[in-house]
Amino acid sequence: MTRRFLMTALLLLFVTASSAVSPTAVAADARVFMGEMWNRAVETLSKKLPQTERLARFRELFEADFDGPGIARFVLGRYWRSASQQEQQEFLKLFDDYVVFVYGTRLANFNGESFKVRGSRTEESGVIVSTDVINPGEAPIKIDWRLVTVNGAFKINDIIIEGISMMVTQRSEFASVIQRHGGQVSGLLELMREKTKTASAAR
């Protein structure tokens, strides 16, 4: 048996084994990913820190666990195709800063609420992990997390809070801004530059 034949056989065995993983196993792995991500979020965001440091830590979480480029293209919607290549590249950069500033600021009062996985299911577009976020004395907040696989690793592609998709909501907000600027993406980019100055400083 030649070395090349052996390597080919091993490769085929690996591919076959990988493709044979059951949907149940994929969903179980997704639940583990979400639990670990939540623990990192609690460790990072529950500490009282200066805003610049808090945003820097939130950026690390976002870049590690979220499908930033995929989300960015989705929320720009049909305007992605009409944008110039330069506008597309600037939007991808500004979108990261925008998410860090807007959501990092909103999580300033995060107090390490507990997290419970209710279940998970596989879909054509990825895996949905259904969870409850629990704050004592309040009704649990039902959150579904859509996970996709990017370069062999799970990434969060959407957050659905009480049935409302954050991606769809953001796309609607951005479309309204672009429409107010005559359908030009440049108007949205200008608004995002102004909003994200603080987040840019937290790089």
Side-chain angles (χ1 to χ4, degrees):
M1 181 182 294
T2 66
R3 178 182 176 85
R4 176 174 294 181
F5 179 84
L6 177 59
M7 294 302 295
T8 302
L10 288 173
L11 177 60
L12 288 172
L13 177 63
F14 176 79
V15 171
T16 303
S18 298
S19 62
V21 174
S22 70
T24 301
V26 171
D29 289 343
R31 292 194 293 269
V32 171
F33 167 84
M34 284 306 309
E36 292 175 348
M37 187 282 296
W38 187 263
N39 289 337
R40 289 195 299 274
V42 169
E43 174 65 22
T44 298
L45 300 176
S46 61
K47 297 177 181 178
K48 300 303 180 184
L49 300 169
Q51 185 184 28
T52 300
E53 186 173 351
R54 172 178 289 274
L55 293 181
R57 292 192 176 201
F58 182 77
R59 181 185 296 279
E60 292 175 0
L61 282 174
F62 179 74
E63 292 178 348
D65 295 324
F66 285 76
D67 176 24
I71 296 172
R73 287 191 293 272
F74 178 88
V75 298
L76 196 57
R78 61 189 177 92
Y79 296 105
W80 176 263
R81 293 187 297 275
S82 63
S84 67
Q85 186 174 7
Q86 182 178 349
E87 287 174 330
Q88 290 175 352
Q89 294 305 311
E90 183 177 9
F91 178 76
L92 289 174
K93 174 185 173 298
L94 287 174
F95 183 72
D96 279 6
D97 289 344
Y98 180 85
V99 169
V100 169
F101 175 75
V102 172
Y103 291 95
T105 301
R106 290 178 184 176
L107 289 170
N109 295 320
F110 182 84
N111 290 312
E113 288 81 356
S114 61
F115 174 87
K116 178 182 178 181
V117 175
R118 288 186 284 109
S120 58
R121 65 184 186 275
T122 57
E123 294 187 342
E124 186 175 343
S125 59
V127 183
I128 300 292
V129 179
S130 298
T131 66
D132 286 336
V133 175
I134 304 166
N135 201 15
E138 299 179 7
I141 301 173
K142 297 188 180 303
I143 302 180
D144 288 346
W145 311 75
R146 176 173 286 112
L147 308 183
V148 296
T149 303
V150 178
N151 297 325
F154 282 122
K155 298 283 184 178
I156 298 168
N157 184 259
D158 193 12
I159 304 174
I160 304 161
I161 302 176
E162 299 289 352
I164 299 174
S165 163
M166 295 296 98
M167 278 181 63
V168 173
T169 300
Q170 192 66 71
R171 182 168 64 179
S172 177
E173 291 177 359
F174 281 176
S176 295
V177 173
I178 294 172
Q179 289 163 13
R180 290 199 301 270
H181 288 83
Q184 300 299 310
V185 174
S186 57
L188 173 63
L189 295 177
E190 179 59 33
L191 176 67
M192 294 174 74
R193 288 188 207 105
E194 289 299 315
K195 257 190 176 300
T196 59
K197 287 179 179 177
T198 302
S200 296
R203 282 186 177 277

